[in-house]
Amino acid sequence: MSNRESASIVSLRQRVDGIVAETPVLDLHTHLYDPGFRSLLLRGIDDLLVYHYLVSESFRQMEIPYDRFWAASKTEQADLIWDALFVKHSPVSEACTGVLTVLNALGLDPRQGELKSLRGWFAALPPEEHVERVFKAANVSAVGMTNSPFDDQERPYWEQSIPRDSRFFAALRIDPLILSWETAVPFLRRNGYDLTSDRTEKNALEVRRFLADWTRKIGSRYCMVSLPPEFRYPADTDTNWLLDEAVLPHCREFKQPFALMMGVRRAVNPLLRMAGDGVGRSDLNALRDLCDGNPENRFLATVLSRENLHELVVLARKFRNLHPFGCWWFTNTPQLVGEITRMRLELLGMSFTPQHSDARVLDQLIYKWRHTRSVVAGALSERYAALASSGWMVTDAEIRRDASELFGGSFERFCRG
Ligand code: HDL
Ligand code: ZN
């Protein structure tokens, strides 16, 4: 490669880095809450350190019995995790590095003094100002929440009219309905829905009334469910009856996509509580038959198993009502985000959404998006360099258009249908 050619590759990467950095992102799936939900919005150094990704990693470096850890206060747990993963060992995992990316971006040096000074800094930051500071540092324009009518902590907030920050849009999460029908029925009955667990048209209509009531109450933009690797479609199950007779007709009526997160094996180690979930390979024939059998429905989909990711991309080539999104959870590491994004660009062009943060703690938006932007910009630059070698010189306007598509535009267009 001549000096001139290598110089133009470097400048191309710099152009792409710059444009990607200045492109605001719509983060379609997080577990964050609008500050109006008060204590449900997790933020600050202790919430960052007790993030379940770090809990599972720290148990590998600690002898403490599970119950002793869970009996400790959040501050004590954070101290244990800091010592295990940051003091006794280099914090090289993605989740550890992320904490340091956040602190560095906020101008905080964790090497100076104890965690106490960091705690004091965050404690002095009002939630609304904290949101502004993080959204600016992460260049995030909006985040999708995860809103469950079945969550006893969250539900009361929807029953009062709290002031809402429109940047936090709602998404209706319905795992208990879809996956635990027998326990969902008494919950629905307690909340005014006249149904039984029998698979009748009347009961299906009551479930649709529940879905419609909550979609209107929270103004959700899509419905979402996470599914175990064993999920099959079609199948003679309550899950599939609910999908066919209630959820998918509801999504058609409200002109909303249905989001599937496939391949999570819950409570592989229950002693780790939220940190105890694992992964399993899904049978994506189920997704194929959902897309093929419901052409009027639109499906957002992400998969947890790396082995499913190539199949998901190939399926998306066959069904335009399928929109792959994100490098979910255990695939959200720089190496895998790079591999997955290159695969998607090379097989789908721009018709996908490369990432969602899945952030649970406000400050995580900073690291999850800085790390993602760097990797996506690299993959995009490589594709543009391939174009350049065929004489197609991408313009800055085209890079801005493409980045805007990848960081929320394509999702929003898919939602509009
Ligand atoms: O089911 C989900 O939405 C997952 O994202 C889980 O919440 C998981 O605990 C998680 O936070 N992954 O990033
Ligand atoms: Zn999630």
Side-chain angles (χ1 to χ4, degrees):
M1 183 183 293
S2 69
N3 287 343
R4 189 162 172 276
E5 281 167 336
S6 59
S8 70
I9 295 288
V10 169
S11 76
L12 174 60
R13 176 63 198 261
Q14 285 165 342
R15 285 164 60 203
V16 176
D17 279 343
I19 290 170
V20 164
E22 68 192 24
T23 301
V25 64
L26 181 152
D27 191 347
L28 77 91
H29 171 60
T30 77
H31 297 271
L32 298 178
Y33 285 94
D34 174 333
F37 290 80
R38 308 179 68 78
S39 63
L40 297 188
L41 173 61
L42 305 180
R43 60 195 185 97
I45 187 62
D46 287 327
D47 282 319
L48 280 169
L49 288 172
V50 301
Y51 182 40
H52 68 76
Y53 290 28
L54 293 175
V55 168
S56 52
E57 291 172 33
S58 60
F59 265 103
R60 297 181 53 72
Q61 304 286 10
M62 300 188 300
E63 298 308 317
I64 186 173
Y66 291 108
D67 55 358
R68 277 249 324 270
F69 178 85
W70 295 119
S73 69
K74 186 192 295 189
T75 307
E76 289 163 342
Q77 290 173 3
D79 287 339
L80 286 166
I81 292 169
W82 180 259
D83 184 59
L85 299 181
F86 293 78
V87 175
K88 288 201 169 71
H89 302 86
S90 294
V92 294
S93 76
E94 172 61 6
C96 283
T97 311
V99 172
L100 301 181
T101 299
V102 168
L103 296 176
N104 184 259
L106 294 173
L108 301 168
D109 180 355
R111 297 269 213 186
Q112 295 303 319
E114 305 291 309
L115 289 180
K116 203 166 49 230
S117 58
L118 297 177
R119 288 179 176 123
W121 187 90
F122 282 104
L125 198 52
E128 287 73 12
E129 185 188 334
H130 198 167
V131 166
E132 296 311 320
R133 199 179 281 230
V134 168
F135 271 48
K136 185 167 186 288
N139 197 4
V140 164
S141 59
V143 297
M145 299 188 286
T146 297
N147 304 109
S148 170
F150 302 88
D151 182 325
D152 295 337
Q153 281 193 306
E154 177 184 352
R155 195 172 49 253
Y157 285 98
W158 292 113
E159 275 143 13
Q160 43 183 304
S161 55
I162 56 168
R164 289 274 282 109
D165 179 332
S166 61
R167 294 170 296 179
F168 292 76
F169 66 85
L172 184 58
R173 186 65 178 260
I174 55 174
D175 292 32
L177 174 75
I178 298 281
L179 301 176
S180 318
W181 176 234
E182 288 305 324
T183 50
V185 167
F187 170 88
L188 291 170
R189 292 179 58 81
R190 282 197 305 276
N191 285 274
Y193 298 91
D194 177 19
L195 48 68
T196 68
S197 61
D198 298 333
R199 299 182 196 172
T200 65
E201 187 180 353
K202 174 186 175 298
N203 289 335
L205 288 172
E206 272 299 81
V207 173
R208 285 187 64 178
R209 186 167 71 88
F210 163 74
L211 292 170
D213 288 350
W214 273 88
T215 297
R216 293 190 187 101
K217 183 197 295 277
I218 70 175
S220 48
R221 292 184 68 173
Y222 63 83
C223 275
M224 172 179 274
V225 68
S226 69
L227 294 167
E230 293 74 25
F231 173 68
R232 297 290 180 273
Y233 182 96
D236 180 17
T237 61
D238 290 333
T239 293
N240 285 31
W241 174 76
L242 285 159
L243 287 174
D244 284 335
E245 302 306 325
V247 176
L248 293 178
H250 165 78
C251 291
R252 292 195 293 271
E253 179 189 350
F254 280 76
K255 297 181 172 38
Q256 293 189 346
F258 184 45
L260 300 156
M261 304 178 86
M262 303 177 77
V264 54
R265 195 177 299 288
R266 296 291 179 190
V268 166
N269 178 357
L271 296 172
L272 283 171
R273 298 188 184 179
M274 188 188 290
D277 297 333
V279 58
R281 179 166 178 181
S282 300
D283 177 349
L284 293 196
N285 289 325
L287 184 58
R288 177 201 63 202
D289 291 347
L290 272 168
C291 295
D292 190 33
N294 302 281
E296 299 310 308
N297 281 93
R298 279 165 283 129
F299 297 93
L300 295 161
T302 197
V303 292
L304 194 50
S305 163
R306 180 187 187 191
E307 288 69 26
N308 279 142
L309 276 150
H310 185 254
E311 291 174 86
L312 176 60
V313 172
V314 173
L315 266 183
R317 288 171 61 89
K318 307 306 157 194
F319 295 103
R320 66 178 174 187
N321 61 334
L322 173 59
H323 186 90
F325 74 93
C327 301
W328 183 27
W329 201 343
F330 306 115
T331 66
N332 189 1
T333 65
Q335 191 268 332
L336 288 177
V337 172
E339 173 187 297
I340 297 160
T341 303
R342 285 177 178 82
M343 184 196 303
R344 288 169 170 173
L345 286 170
E346 292 167 11
L347 282 168
L348 298 175
M350 292 293 165
S351 61
F352 70 98
T353 297
Q355 190 62 294
H356 66 281
S357 73
D358 236 313
R360 287 183 170 273
V361 182
L362 175 64
D363 309 275
Q364 290 175 337
L365 289 175
I366 295 175
Y367 91 80
K368 287 178 183 266
W369 285 109
R370 288 203 177 180
H371 295 184
T372 288
R373 279 193 164 98
S374 169
V375 175
V376 170
L380 209 43
S381 302
E382 287 169 19
R383 299 319 299 154
Y384 292 143
L387 295 179
S389 65
S390 307
W392 183 284
M393 313 309 280
V394 69
T395 67
D396 282 4
E398 288 165 339
I399 300 171
R400 267 191 287 279
R401 173 204 58 197
D402 296 343
S404 176
E405 276 283 281
L406 292 173
F407 287 101
S410 187
F411 162 73
E412 292 201 290
R413 206 151 31 77
F414 188 73
C415 283
R416 286 194 297 272

